[in-house]
Amino acid sequence: MDLAKRNQRSVHIWAVKALLLLVSYNVPELNAKALPNCSYPAVYSFGDSLTDTGNSIAAFPDQFAQVELDPYGFEFPMHAADRYSDGKLPIDYLEFGVRGRPNYPWLRSIAGDFEYGTNFASAGGSSRNSTGWKPDHGFNTPFSLNAQVRWFERYTVRLLTYYYYKNSFGDSAVVQTTLPAENSLNQSLYMMYAGFQYYFFDLYEKKLTPGQGLDTVPDVVDAINTAIESLVGLYATEVLVVNLPPLGCIPSLLTLFSSQNSDEYDTYGYLKNINLISTTHNKILQDTVTDLRAKFTNVTFYLGNLHDVYIDILKSPESYNVTKPL
Ligand SMILES: *[C@@H]1O[C@H](CO)[C@@H](O)[C@H](O)[C@H]1NC(C)=O
Ligand SMILES: *[C@@H]1O[C@H](CO)[C@@H](O)[C@H](O)[C@H]1NC(C)=O
Ligand SMILES: *[C@@H]1O[C@H](CO)[C@@H](O)[C@H](O)[C@H]1NC(C)=O
Ligand SMILES: *[C@@H]1O[C@H](CO)[C@@H](O)[C@H](O)[C@H]1NC(C)=O
Ligand SMILES: *[C@@H]1O[C@H](CO)[C@@H](O)[C@H](O)[C@H]1NC(C)=O
């Protein structure tokens, strides 16, 4: 608990910086003075282990058991985070920043609080449709983005049904749970932070070479685009699309793809070929967001530049009080 308290302050500063960078990237007309009002009635999120707050362990308790073991959740309140992080995930910074409480996963059926939205992200969930999924195979789940969007669709059916009963019968006993504000589906924030799982897992398992990973980028971004368009076709009017951190700086990949050849590294000691996957993904994602803005003029798309936040932390860890950036 002391540890959690001690981290509270720096976590806060980090979150504020991250949000500023998130908003300022590619939206140069916005500055700190003009930050949008973040009091969304609810936040709905989609993606993989970088956003999952407990769906995968709820679905597959054995396969994902490690998220309840040290160091996962070590710095999280109650030390029971169900996340692939020792502390908070980007979605948590948004939720804590706005609501001061965690973000709950769709599959949570005990001690959840869904008043301000639900998280559909699943650790091991790919952007492209899952095919040939087998149980207990590493960090894989069948909950790819298309399944997550179907979950959301199902969620909206239940939500509207609950409100129908509440309003028709005026009997609060029928609906014994807190719900997001009525008619708020078209005023909520939809966060899409996907793509990592596909590249990372296949590189980690050495099923792909960095060059093969690069070849799949257009397909992966296309699947993300399809999921976003589905959300827009349902209810979304504000979508935050988050780009990928530099994969060639991820410690496990630095280890697995370590090389004697100094040409494979950039001046900071990170893997150039693998970073090229992230930068290519981010470039195509940025073009996709530009196209989405033109196609759906009734929707606001934000591009969250997590990549540059991550790079900034690696380049000047001391200004974030980070002692071991890797
Ligand atoms: C870093 O830690 C020091 C000492 O605890 C604290 O005074 C300072 O505010 C922290 N800076 C940031 C950016 O969190
Ligand atoms: C932000 O939006 C909420 C909900 O619409 C509203 O209650 C609140 O007053 C707004 N805050 C600011 C600073 O505009
Ligand atoms: C993915 O699955 C959805 C149904 O959930 C389907 O509509 C779509 O065509 C599939 N995409 C591909 C590339 O197979
Ligand atoms: C959102 O949808 C509700 C109906 O569910 C409608 O009454 C309202 O006008 C819509 N709001 C916006 C901003 O489109
Ligand atoms: C925005 O436009 C798209 C395409 O025309 C439509 O499917 C979607 O329902 C619209 N969203 C809202 C909230 O009106």
Side-chain angles (χ1 to χ4, degrees), residues 55-205:
N55 283 317
S56 290
I57 189 177
F60 302 110
D62 296 331
Q63 192 181 340
F64 292 92
Q66 72 268 45
V67 298
E68 291 198 327
L69 304 175
D70 283 352
Y72 298 112
F74 194 71
E75 299 190 353
F76 201 87
M78 283 173 62
H79 197 163
D82 291 0
R83 290 154 173 77
Y84 276 100
S85 171
D86 62 342
K88 298 187 181 82
L89 299 171
I91 180 66
D92 292 309
Y93 288 105
L94 280 181
E95 288 276 334
F96 272 95
V98 177
R99 304 291 183 201
R101 58 171 86 173
N103 173 257
Y104 288 93
W106 160 245
L107 298 184
R108 173 73 68 82
S109 57
I110 179 168
D113 173 356
F114 301 98
E115 191 175 353
Y116 299 120
T118 301
N119 184 348
F120 299 92
S122 165
S126 59
S127 303
R128 301 196 293 182
N129 292 1
S130 166
T131 52
W133 175 81
K134 293 192 209 75
D136 297 329
H137 178 64
F139 301 104
N140 259 321
T141 65
F143 310 135
S144 44
L145 283 183
N146 66 321
Q148 294 175 30
V149 171
R150 293 284 291 137
W151 275 349
F152 172 71
E153 209 174 345
R154 179 71 201 144
Y155 165 90
T156 65
V157 170
R158 288 312 304 179
L159 185 66
L160 299 181
T161 304
Y162 287 141
Y163 268 114
Y164 171 76
Y165 275 95
K166 206 168 177 172
N167 294 333
S168 303
F169 304 106
D171 180 0
S172 59
V174 175
V175 180
Q176 297 191 358
T177 182
T178 49
L179 304 175
E182 189 162 11
N183 297 332
S184 65
L185 284 169
N186 57 3
Q187 293 158 42
S188 298
L189 180 69
Y190 293 77
M191 174 169 151
M192 175 64 67
Y193 181 22
F196 181 83
Q197 163 67 19
Y198 178 76
Y199 308 121
F200 176 77
F201 183 61
D202 284 0
L203 288 169
Y204 185 82
E205 292 226 315

Side-chain angles (χ1 to χ4, degrees), residues 9-11 13-14 17 318-321:
R9 191 174 36 180
S10 61
V11 152
I13 292 166
W14 194 93
K17 279 201 185 184
E318 64 291 343
S319 60
Y320 295 88
N321 272 355

Side-chain angles (χ1 to χ4, degrees), residues 271-298:
L271 287 159
K272 283 197 281 195
N273 277 349
I274 296 186
N275 274 343
L276 188 59
I277 298 175
S278 320
T279 50
T280 306
H281 174 98
N282 292 346
K283 174 70 181 72
I284 299 179
L285 191 71
Q286 184 172 343
D287 293 345
T288 298
V289 169
T290 302
D291 292 347
L292 285 165
R293 283 176 181 151
K295 186 168 178 184
F296 301 106
T297 50
N298 58 348

